[in-house]
Amino acid sequence: MATPRLPMDLPLTTPALTGPPPATARDELRALLRLATPLAAANLLQMAVYAIDVIFVARLGAVALAAATLGVYLYSVVMWALTGLVGACAPVIAAELGARRHAVRQVRRSFRMAMWLSVLASMPFVLLLSQGERLLLLADQDPVVAAQAGHFLRILLLALIPAVASGAMRVTAAALGRAGWATAITALALAVNLAGNWLLVFGHFGFPALGLTGSAISSVITSVAMLLAYAAILTLDPKIRRYRLFGHWWRTEWSRFREIVRLGVPIALIFTLEGALFSAAGLLMGLIGVGEVGAHAIALQIAAIAFQIPFGVGQAATIRVGMAYGAGDLKWITRAGWVALGVGIGFMGLTASLLWLFPRLFISAYIDVDAPQNAQLVALALQYLVIAALFQLFDGAQTVAAGVLRGLQDTRMPMVIAAFGYWVVGFGTAIGLGFGVHWQGVGIWIGLAVGLAVVSALLVWRWSMRARLGLLPAPAG
């Protein structure tokens, strides 16, 4: 049965949400920050959700922690790639809002196909990762760890479709001007996951102590809770319900489906290429020594926390540039893109300065920097954080540049740039400096920084050459 029309559904355009294009860079900055701030906050809260799992599972022992780490790694690589795939509906929806032509109907169709895609694309990976134990044994992992990881992963896979669908709902809500819900719902997820782990891992209030299984069940409950929360928001929020997003959910729009896939597959591959690069760097560190692995993990975690801010700016930039793209407003496109790049790079310049000036302070959040047994770990982490200070600038530039290019619905060439920069230049330099020149961990981190520098430079160049490269729409009017 179709959802009944509401009185506010009668207009098929959405001037209330899009509004007039910003007249100045200051106006665009305000609009960008209104959108980026809750998205960045949600990204930071999502990291806290993952940290809770580690905190609880670590108390179960080394084998359980290793099993959970391997299982979550396989799951997260797939989940982030699929989230990038369905997230391609964001620039499509933003362009539809910018064009304002039958936007209600067009937005609903794009959302519907993104939700279809979240299910259809996830199912093959659910089948593949259900064989997690075999995959880990093929990778020569410890049989006991592989067995526990396989069991953990089979339960965790129940969270995959809800997590990917929630990602599609999140970017849709943000594109429709309600990004604040992402922060609220991720905070809810944090509370649910904390309660779930506390009740099920060790058993409290009469619940069974399920150990590693309990942590997996908690993650599933958290993903389902997020899915239901987003569904409620998209149905009930006064500014969103006019779109009747779940109306006619059975209808297919294969041309729209193919458009989202066309844009989304390169985004998914970019996420995979970048994530795999840092995982491979960790494996290279393992060839050097245990201390290098620990220092690498600490430095990378610090960098990852800071990265969530420009990542949120890049997500917002996709929507802002996408709306300007749909409107055919070339001045707005230029203004939105450069403002976003300025915010992202400027923030990372601040974090780079803080890392340069106070590296021990950041490391002390993870280990006791004054303990004699940690002296080698601290010394190595300090070296890596010096490089991470430069790393921050390039990382902020590349994620925002990728975001503004997604707003222009340009994803294929950025994927090629990412493959070349991360793996040919970055990984090649890491191996050459780390092992050929024997700079060890420092060489590997320089390789990561060089790879990010090349990717950021090429993406910013592509953005600056957008007119000559034919990336712009025909001017409106």
Side-chain angles (χ1 to χ4, degrees), residues 254-333:
W254 292 119
S255 61
R256 191 68 50 87
F257 185 91
R258 287 191 292 271
E259 177 68 8
I260 294 173
V261 170
R262 182 186 68 82
L263 294 174
V265 167
I267 298 172
L269 290 174
I270 289 172
F271 285 3
T272 303
L273 289 167
E274 186 175 4
L277 174 67
F278 291 106
S279 297
L283 295 176
L284 292 180
M285 290 289 187
L287 299 176
I288 301 173
V290 175
E292 282 77 3
V293 173
H296 172 76
I298 291 172
L300 196 59
Q301 182 70 14
I302 293 169
I305 292 172
F307 173 76
Q308 301 310 310
I309 306 300
F311 185 47
V313 173
Q315 292 171 316
T318 295
I319 295 169
R320 296 297 302 169
V321 174
M323 291 173 64
Y325 179 87
D329 189 327
L330 304 188
K331 290 183 178 180
W332 186 8
I333 289 173

Side-chain angles (χ1 to χ4, degrees), residues 129-398:
L129 294 184
S130 66
Q131 304 301 312
E133 180 179 355
R134 294 183 181 181
L135 294 174
L136 292 172
L137 289 175
L138 288 174
D140 201 28
Q141 298 298 310
D142 180 85
V144 175
V145 173
Q148 290 196 24
H151 174 70
F152 175 82
L153 191 55
R154 281 191 293 273
I155 299 171
L156 187 60
L157 284 174
L158 296 174
L160 184 61
I161 292 176
V164 177
S166 293
M169 292 181 180
R170 167 178 162 158
V171 298
T172 300
L176 296 177
R178 305 297 281 168
W181 285 118
T183 305
I185 292 175
T186 311
L188 169 67
L190 179 64
V192 170
N193 200 36
L194 177 61
N197 273 279
W198 191 74
L199 292 172
L200 297 175
V201 173
F202 298 105
H204 291 93
F205 285 120
F207 284 84
L210 299 177
L212 194 58
T213 298
S215 182
I217 293 173
S218 177
S219 295
V220 173
I221 293 171
T222 301
S223 290
V224 172
M226 291 183 70
L227 179 71
L228 295 176
Y230 273 117
I233 294 307
L234 296 184
T235 304
L236 301 175
D237 184 285
K239 291 188 176 180
I240 298 178
R241 65 183 182 184
R242 71 182 67 194
Y243 293 89
R244 298 183 294 120
L245 293 173
F246 295 101
H248 306 296
W249 60 266
W250 60 88
R251 290 186 180 176
T252 57
E253 300 282 346
W254 292 119
S255 61
R256 191 68 50 87
F257 185 91
R258 287 191 292 271
E259 177 68 8
I260 294 173
V261 170
R262 182 186 68 82
L263 294 174
V265 167
I267 298 172
L269 290 174
I270 289 172
F271 285 3
T272 303
L273 289 167
E274 186 175 4
L277 174 67
F278 291 106
S279 297
L283 295 176
L284 292 180
M285 290 289 187
L287 299 176
I288 301 173
V290 175
E292 282 77 3
V293 173
H296 172 76
I298 291 172
L300 196 59
Q301 182 70 14
I302 293 169
I305 292 172
F307 173 76
Q308 301 310 310
I309 306 300
F311 185 47
V313 173
Q315 292 171 316
T318 295
I319 295 169
R320 296 297 302 169
V321 174
M323 291 173 64
Y325 179 87
D329 189 327
L330 304 188
K331 290 183 178 180
W332 186 8
I333 289 173
T334 299
R335 185 180 298 120
W338 285 118
V339 166
L341 282 165
V343 171
I345 296 173
F347 178 83
M348 292 309 258
L350 173 63
T351 61
S353 300
L354 293 174
L355 287 178
W356 188 276
L357 294 171
F358 310 107
R360 289 177 68 88
L361 178 63
F362 288 95
I363 297 171
S364 67
Y366 295 88
I367 58 173
D368 183 355
V369 295
D370 296 319
Q373 65 269 23
N374 292 333
Q376 181 193 18
L377 188 63
V378 172
L380 290 170
L382 286 171
Q383 293 178 34
Y384 301 160
L385 282 182
V386 170
I387 304 168
L390 292 174
F391 183 114
Q392 298 288 292
L393 293 173
F394 304 139
D395 213 10
Q398 66 84 20

Side-chain angles (χ1 to χ4, degrees), residues 49-109:
V49 173
Y50 299 144
I52 285 173
D53 292 327
V54 175
I55 291 169
F56 277 90
V57 171
R59 296 173 62 187
L60 297 173
V63 173
L65 180 59
T69 300
L70 291 173
V72 168
Y73 171 69
L74 292 175
Y75 171 85
S76 61
V77 167
V78 170
M79 189 269 289
W80 282 114
L82 291 173
T83 301
L85 174 66
V86 301
C89 70
V92 175
I93 290 174
E96 289 160 351
L97 292 172
R100 303 190 184 197
R101 294 188 300 273
H102 306 294
V104 168
R105 187 176 295 138
Q106 300 301 331
V107 166
R108 181 167 59 245
R109 291 171 176 172

